[in-house]
Amino acid sequence: MNSLRVELGDRSYPIFVGAGALQQCDLTHYIKAKQVLVVTNETIAPLYLEKLTQLLSGYEVEQVILPDGERFKTLEYVNKIFDQLLTVKHNRSTTLIALGGGVVGDMTGFAAACYQRGVDFIQVPTTILSQVDSSVGGKTGVNHPLGKNMIGAFYQPKLVVADIDFFVTLPKREVAAGIAEIIKYGLIYDADFFVWLEENIDKLMAKNQQALTYAIMRSCEIKAEVVAKDETEQGIRAWLNLGHTFGHAIETHQGYGNWLHGEAVAAGTMMALDLSLRLGWIDAHLVARAKRLFETAMLPIVPPNNMSVDEFIELMSVDKKVLNGKIRLILIEKLGRAVVTDSFDMNLLKQTLSIGQVSSLKQ
Ligand code: NAD
Ligand code: GLY
């Protein structure tokens, strides 16, 4: 088992990574009292709930099993967690455990942030995407019909356990979606890691344990470093949103869950690269390398062709990075370095926003 820490003073916490991490990490060390509420969903419960509860003998373990899907990532379903906490009379010393992907993790973290003004929570992420991104760094929350992740809180877990044994049952499409966020780290922060990904993408797609462990560790190291520098996204943390302003617009437009988050991020990242190229910041060779990586991972490289430029702009203007009414984007300056900017020619952005329609005309 490998480990690293997210350094946030008295709110610092470890991340354990690797095969068997759940058994090896001694969860009970991070639970301060007897009450525990496990939050999971209908897909994951039959696969892994018992495995987790076996590690909690001696505790008063309750559970909430949510329906599965991004469309249930709402205040209404977070309220189901509160209903259960109150029904079983959990007090301030309770610990919530999120067992699932990013949807379960974001909702459980938000419930923990709000319940009795804040109780402990532990992340046990079960998808690649949630192990490399959503479980680390304390962004929690839910969607609103008018915008992705618009309601939420920064609230850090006490522990993250990224056990790659969960991936035995993870569908191929979800593997690919997680790889999209891994590629992001290479593009924004670590050129050598990007090269490693080019050399090892087939191994990752084939769920090779060694390759996955390395990719998850490196991704978590980068995320932990960025979060330690800028927990509440006043600056560099925004880099982690490469492709997300475009991607969130795609997810909202297509209906939550129809495009997976990682798929929307892949197409959104290609759009960010396209605009960076139009601005003359990067060359076509880098765009081609990224395109090849995403394609090898079976990820979309263009947005859906039923989204107009106006629809994109409308949805992108409810992004959390909007400042004084101006859309701000994460673009790439060179491999391994991103920038947050609102200084781009609107006409160039419009050309980028129409690449879905242009590419469908070519077919
Ligand atoms: P998800 O939580 O919807 O999980 C994907 C699917 O895989 C679900 O159907 C789930 O039930 C299933 N699943 C999970 N683990 C499994 C396993 N081991 N075996 C079989 N099936 C399994 O999606 P996700 O990609 O994990 O997370 C996406 C969410 O994370 C989005 O809501 C996104 O906004 C959020 N997110 C948050 C942050 C953050 O910083 N908080 C960062 C990135 C993404
Ligand atoms: N996923 C982006 C962030 O955590 O900041």
Side-chain angles (χ1 to χ4, degrees):
M1 183 174 67
N2 304 274
S3 73
L4 68 151
R5 278 178 78 73
V6 182
E7 297 293 351
L8 289 168
D10 59 5
R11 291 173 299 111
S12 300
Y13 54 93
I15 305 173
F16 295 113
V17 180
L22 186 60
Q23 267 86 7
Q24 289 163 36
C25 74
D26 189 10
L27 275 182
T28 62
H29 188 71
Y30 302 87
I31 299 175
K32 67 179 173 215
K34 286 284 164 208
Q35 293 180 326
V36 174
L37 181 83
V38 180
V39 182
T40 188
N41 75 23
E42 287 167 349
T43 305
I44 299 153
L47 297 171
Y48 300 115
L49 185 55
E50 198 183 328
K51 180 176 168 176
L52 175 63
T53 45
Q54 273 172 2
L55 300 171
L56 298 169
S57 64
Y59 288 83
E60 295 161 23
V61 183
E62 301 287 343
Q63 47 197 252
V64 174
I65 300 177
L66 298 167
D68 184 2
E70 183 75 37
R71 68 185 188 285
F72 301 108
K73 188 177 152 182
T74 60
L75 282 177
E76 185 191 346
Y77 282 91
V78 167
N79 210 31
K80 306 271 179 220
I81 305 176
F82 298 142
D83 289 347
Q84 178 71 348
L85 283 164
L86 287 163
T87 305
V88 297
K89 297 192 170 49
H90 274 212
N91 56 44
R92 267 195 172 157
S93 63
T94 188
T95 299
L96 272 53
I97 302 183
L99 175 69
V103 169
V104 166
D106 281 11
M107 292 171 76
T108 309
F110 186 51
C114 301
Y115 187 65
Q116 299 194 12
R117 301 198 179 87
V119 296
D120 288 355
F121 90 109
I122 290 172
Q123 289 273 17
V124 183
T126 61
T127 60
I128 295 179
L129 188 140
S130 56
Q131 295 198 1
V132 298
D133 196 351
S134 61
S135 63
V136 176
K139 277 191 184 174
T140 72
V142 294
N143 300 326
H144 185 280
L146 297 179
K148 248 306 265 182
N149 292 338
M150 278 293 147
I151 318 295
F154 286 102
Y155 194 69
Q156 302 293 340
K158 294 288 168 199
L159 163 72
V160 178
V161 190
D163 189 332
I164 68 166
D165 287 343
F166 287 122
F167 303 155
V168 173
T169 52
L170 193 65
K172 240 191 152 73
R173 192 174 162 200
E174 300 294 346
V175 172
I179 289 174
E181 297 277 20
I182 297 178
I183 294 171
K184 168 187 84 179
Y185 291 113
L187 282 167
I188 61 166
Y189 209 79
D190 185 345
D192 290 343
F193 185 42
F194 187 85
V195 172
W196 182 90
L197 288 168
E198 291 181 306
E199 287 162 0
N200 290 277
I201 186 73
D202 293 328
K203 287 188 188 159
L204 291 177
M205 290 296 285
K207 300 187 191 176
N208 173 287
Q209 287 213 346
Q210 225 183 337
L212 276 170
T213 303
Y214 176 74
I216 292 165
M217 272 300 284
R218 186 65 198 124
S219 301
C220 286
E221 276 166 11
I222 294 171
K223 180 139 191 193
E225 202 173 307
V226 170
V227 168
K229 283 183 189 155
D230 178 24
E231 183 183 7
T232 57
E233 201 170 303
Q234 307 304 311
I236 193 174
R237 184 164 182 170
W239 290 13
L240 299 172
N241 288 320
L242 176 69
H244 284 57
T245 303
F246 302 105
H248 285 167
I250 295 171
E251 286 183 82
T252 308
H253 183 273
Q254 298 297 296
Y256 296 132
N258 290 320
W259 272 55
L260 299 183
H261 177 70
E263 293 170 344
V265 165
T269 298
M270 286 307 301
M271 295 174 84
L273 287 167
D274 180 80
L275 184 54
S276 308
L277 174 67
R278 286 178 200 274
L279 287 162
W281 296 354
I282 56 170
D283 59 25
H285 180 57
L286 177 57
V287 181
R289 285 171 69 188
K291 178 170 176 270
R292 198 175 324 120
L293 252 188
F294 285 125
E295 279 180 335
T296 311
M298 316 287 279
L299 285 159
I301 47 154
V302 284
N305 61 14
N306 65 350
M307 273 183 88
S308 69
V309 168
D310 287 346
E311 284 172 322
F312 254 117
I313 290 178
E314 172 70 22
L315 288 165
M316 287 165 69
S317 20
V318 285
D319 186 69
K320 290 190 285 305
K321 284 181 294 302
V322 167
L323 189 66
N324 297 326
K326 284 191 93 173
I327 294 173
R328 290 190 307 151
L329 293 170
I330 316 306
L331 301 178
I332 294 293
E333 271 187 345
K334 64 174 190 178
L335 181 57
R337 192 174 168 83
V339 67
V340 190
T341 183
D342 65 1
S343 54
F344 41 81
D345 180 342
M346 220 33 202
N347 287 322
L348 291 183
L349 175 62
K350 285 181 181 172
Q351 286 168 28
T352 291
L353 296 178
S354 59
I355 62 176
Q357 288 138 45
V358 173
S359 76
S360 80
L361 285 177
K362 277 196 209 144
Q363 278 163 12

